Amino acid sequence: MYAVFKRELFSLLNSLMAYITIGVFLLASGLLLWFFPDTSILEYGYAELSGFFGLAPFLFLFLIPAITMRSFAEERREGTYILLATRPVSDWQIIFAKYLACFVLVIFALLPTLIYSYSISELTLPKGNIDTGAIIGSYIGLLLLGAAFVSIGIFASSLTKNQVVAFALSVFLCFFAYSGFEAMSQIFSFRSIENVLINLSINEHYQSMSRGVLDTRDLVYFLTFILVFLGLTKLLIGGRKW
């Protein structure tokens, strides 16, 4: 499994697409956070990163599908998955290796954004007067959100040989998982159905963690969500005649 993980990670790091997508993510988040008047922290006047953590999920909608789209789609297109499947590794090990490689790349994309917290801390009066708990909780929530989106991207990549189709499917599924259930909850007037739909929304649990409160229900939700989509990926690649 480690060999597959290392192969997949190095393949991503050797890909120009990975650097372009991460560069676009950092450029877009930097411009939105510091330069554009409508979203700039400097214009907002308060020492908090709520603007960044509110924008980051929508940037993830395009960053993560761009990273994951080649995971299985490229293997299917080039016919190399058959060679991989004949190695002494199980389907689960292959899936987890590809999943972890993509998730590590998401972590690499987030690491440079830590400078935002330092910058805000230095700009406050007095220095360091920021809500550290909320920022830590938001970063944990953002990592879990990224992990959930990666599981969707891996699943979408296993559905098709075409990377562009995998990207489009992943963007749609990520958007629906993030905002779709909340939108549907507004359609139904029955309180019980509305609550169920809201609790199924990633945004609901992400916003809960962004307040700096680490609830076990949110952690269980994200873990279950990830395992469900990885399980669906296992069903697809396990039952397919490659």
Side-chain angles (χ1 to χ4, degrees):
M1 177 178 170
Y2 176 71
V4 177
F5 163 76
K6 189 165 63 172
R7 164 186 173 270
E8 192 69 18
L9 182 60
F10 287 162
S11 176
L12 288 169
L13 292 176
N14 289 328
S15 169
L16 184 61
M17 178 61 71
Y19 294 101
I20 291 174
T21 52
I22 291 175
V24 169
F25 168 74
L26 295 174
L27 179 63
S29 62
L31 289 174
L32 289 168
L33 199 60
W34 298 102
F35 293 101
F36 292 168
D38 292 339
T39 55
S40 173
I41 291 177
L42 301 176
E43 295 291 333
Y44 183 55
Y46 292 93
E48 59 182 28
L49 286 174
S50 58
F52 168 69
F53 292 114
L55 293 168
F58 296 99
L59 297 176
F60 268 11
L61 287 176
F62 300 95
L63 167 71
I64 293 178
I67 292 173
T68 59
M69 65 182 183
R70 64 197 299 265
S71 299
F72 283 101
E74 187 176 39
E75 300 271 13
R76 291 187 64 192
R77 183 175 60 83
E78 296 181 354
T80 56
Y81 185 82
I82 297 175
L83 298 175
L84 184 61
T86 57
R87 302 293 182 183
V89 288
S90 66
D91 289 342
W92 274 115
Q93 288 175 316
I94 294 172
I95 292 169
F96 275 119
K98 289 179 174 291
Y99 173 81
L100 290 175
C102 293
F103 183 58
V104 166
L105 206 62
V106 173
I107 294 175
F108 287 165
L110 278 178
L111 283 177
T113 67
L114 292 175
I115 196 172
Y116 299 157
S117 301
Y118 175 76
S119 300
I120 288 295
S121 178
E122 290 296 307
L123 289 171
T124 55
L125 291 174
K127 286 186 178 181
N129 185 27
I130 59 174
D131 190 349
T132 307
I135 290 177
I136 292 174
S138 296
Y139 265 110
I140 294 173
L142 198 55
L143 283 172
L144 290 172
L145 175 72
F149 281 1
V150 169
S151 68
I152 293 176
I154 294 289
F155 168 70
S157 183
S158 68
L159 289 170
T160 177
K161 295 180 180 179
N162 191 306
Q163 293 185 38
V164 177
V165 174
F167 174 82
L169 282 172
S170 182
V171 170
F172 171 76
L173 290 174
C174 288
F175 177 76
F176 184 82
Y178 185 75
S179 302
F181 288 110
E182 280 190 339
M184 290 175 60
S185 69
Q186 299 175 7
I187 300 174
F188 296 96
S189 58
F190 296 105
R191 189 67 182 173
S192 58
I193 298 177
E194 182 181 352
N195 288 335
V196 169
L197 291 173
I198 289 176
N199 286 327
L200 286 174
S201 172
I202 290 181
N203 186 36
E204 174 70 16
H205 298 275
Y206 173 67
Q207 294 298 334
S208 175
M209 299 189 75
S210 295
R211 290 190 286 269
V213 179
L214 298 181
D215 194 324
T216 53
R217 290 173 295 182
D218 299 324
L219 297 175
V220 169
Y221 169 83
F222 278 109
L223 181 60
T224 304
F225 188 95
I226 292 165
L227 290 176
V228 165
F229 273 94
L230 293 183
L232 291 173
T233 306
K234 168 66 171 64
L235 289 175
L236 278 175
I237 69 170
R240 180 178 289 139
K241 300 296 183 181
W242 296 85

